[in-house]
Amino acid sequence: MNLKRVLTFIVISLLIAVFTSSQPSSATKPDTDPSIFGEGTFTFRNPIAMRTEHFQFSFEATVNKSGKGRGHAQFNNLTTQTEIEVKLDCVTLSEAGAVMSGRVQHSDDPDFPKHTRVVFAAIDGSQIPVPFADRITPIFATGISPG
């Protein structure tokens, strides 16, 4: 699977994911600092497991002057009572959000074992010309090697 297909999949997932927030959530990219952070909850209809899953998440990522991204993310699946911690090593920031990827550092979720390469995206809805609620994808395992 190439990067373009993964990014297309993430964008489509953002558009069609069932997204509800039971707590305040945020995905904020400050104007003067090359970083992004967010936390909150979301609900996602998992088409593979054929169930609705509830997640709690947090992430923070920065991009240094040479363009190298790094950070940390945590996804708690409240439905399956599992936790996934990710060390981010690739961060692409835009004016209103980011696509982030890295490797699972800790997990008790059998679908995301340690060292699995994952990707997710977040959009800060307040930065869009027609504001909407912030959005985040669940994490997806990829076959992309670090780069």
Side-chain angles (χ1 to χ4, degrees), residues 54-57 74-79 81-84:
H54 304 280
F55 288 86
Q56 182 178 33
F57 71 92
Q74 183 171 346
F75 287 81
N76 295 316
N77 186 326
L78 304 175
T79 303
Q81 296 296 303
T82 57
E83 178 181 304
I84 303 161

Side-chain angles (χ1 to χ4, degrees), residues 22-33:
S22 59
Q23 295 181 11
S25 65
S26 64
T28 306
K29 180 188 166 294
D31 293 323
T32 58
D33 192 18

Side-chain angles (χ1 to χ4, degrees), residues 39-102:
E39 62 182 7
T41 61
F42 67 93
T43 300
F44 177 70
R45 176 72 182 153
N46 184 332
I48 297 169
M50 300 298 292
R51 68 175 175 236
T52 299
E53 296 180 336
H54 304 280
F55 288 86
Q56 182 178 33
F57 71 92
S58 65
F59 65 88
E60 55 81 20
T62 59
V63 177
N64 65 22
K65 292 178 183 178
S66 64
K68 176 79 172 149
R70 63 186 172 125
H72 181 266
Q74 183 171 346
F75 287 81
N76 295 316
N77 186 326
L78 304 175
T79 303
T80 61
Q81 296 296 303
T82 57
E83 178 181 304
I84 303 161
E85 293 181 20
V86 179
K87 181 178 180 182
L88 301 172
D89 58 21
C90 185
V91 180
T92 302
L93 297 177
S94 69
E95 191 167 315
V99 176
M100 296 162 273
S101 65

